[in-house]
Amino acid sequence: MAGLHQFPISAIVILLLLLATEISGCSSWQDCGDFGCSLPDYDNDFIASLMRNGAGFSEFGASLKKAVSILRKYPGVISDDADVRHMTVQYLCCYNVDDFARIVDIVRHIAWTPFNLTFAEVVCNLDHPGHNDSTVSFIVLADAASQLRMAAFVAGVEQTIVSHGIPIHRPRSAQEPFHSTIGRVRADYPVAQVLAELQQAFGVFNTQPMIVDSFSSAFPSYEFHASGDV
């Protein structure tokens, strides 16, 4: 493959400007990716499955598959979440395996009731801003009411964890908004064009709410269940 030094400087500048234009409208929210943690055990996620919960799951699934089909019209898609349908409730940054075990034990004793969740706007987000190998994710954000509902719930979970002597290294409020991923693409993908297509195709991603009544931990493996009704 030819190196950049073999191309005229003007061509390189034009290429960089085109790439910058494509991704300039994207956010640069982060979870644990740029935390700079020195521990070998990295991070753990609490993930809510959106596949089976509530009247809106089939509507959401249809919207997700339609969005992925738009994404796949163009080369440069790295992965898509057409069959995943999930939302990360909490990114737990920079803990060791013993900490994770303690956190799961604490959270499993928290009583909570299910809540409704609706998704609205499709946006793009730079996965690793400032890096040459940066990729872009297309995500659909939970609507404003759902954001507030989830934020209040997770803040309560974090307060409980802290009350047991474990610090929260990066609170959920300082991370990516609550969302579900549509797909991930290379930085040279026609991001602006596809984002416009997606936003035109979806005023609201799902009109019927889904119900979050459980979420799970990756390790230690555990599924947390709500009690009561919405």
Side-chain angles (χ1 to χ4, degrees), residues 46-165:
F46 287 162
I47 297 175
S49 170
L50 303 176
M51 292 189 68
R52 63 186 185 277
N53 300 331
F57 83 92
S58 57
E59 180 188 18
F60 178 85
S63 293
L64 186 58
K65 286 184 181 296
K66 180 180 177 181
V68 168
S69 71
I70 293 173
L71 226 62
R72 289 283 182 185
K73 291 196 305 183
Y74 305 92
V77 176
I78 299 170
S79 62
D80 69 67
D81 284 16
D83 298 315
V84 180
R85 306 186 207 177
H86 75 282
M87 179 194 68
T88 301
V89 174
Q90 173 69 306
Y91 301 96
L92 295 165
C93 307
C94 202
Y95 298 97
N96 59 40
V97 290
D98 292 332
D99 290 332
F100 288 141
R102 288 182 61 200
I103 290 170
V104 167
D105 188 57
I106 292 165
V107 175
R108 73 185 182 90
H109 288 97
I110 297 175
W112 58 286
T113 55
F115 42 84
N116 289 335
L117 188 66
T118 306
F119 288 88
E121 183 183 9
V122 178
V123 300
C124 56
N125 188 61
L126 297 177
D127 295 325
H128 307 287
H131 294 266
N132 290 332
D133 61 345
S134 181
T135 57
V136 178
S137 287
F138 286 91
I139 61 178
V140 56
L141 298 177
D143 66 10
S146 298
Q147 293 284 347
L148 291 174
R149 200 174 294 121
M150 289 298 304
F153 170 71
V154 174
V157 171
E158 291 176 341
Q159 288 171 8
T160 302
I161 294 171
V162 170
S163 72
H164 284 76

Side-chain angles (χ1 to χ4, degrees), residues 168-183:
I168 298 297
H169 297 137
R170 174 175 284 177
R172 188 65 173 82
S173 59
Q175 299 172 354
E176 238 178 315
F178 297 99
H179 68 278
S180 186
T181 300
I182 298 169

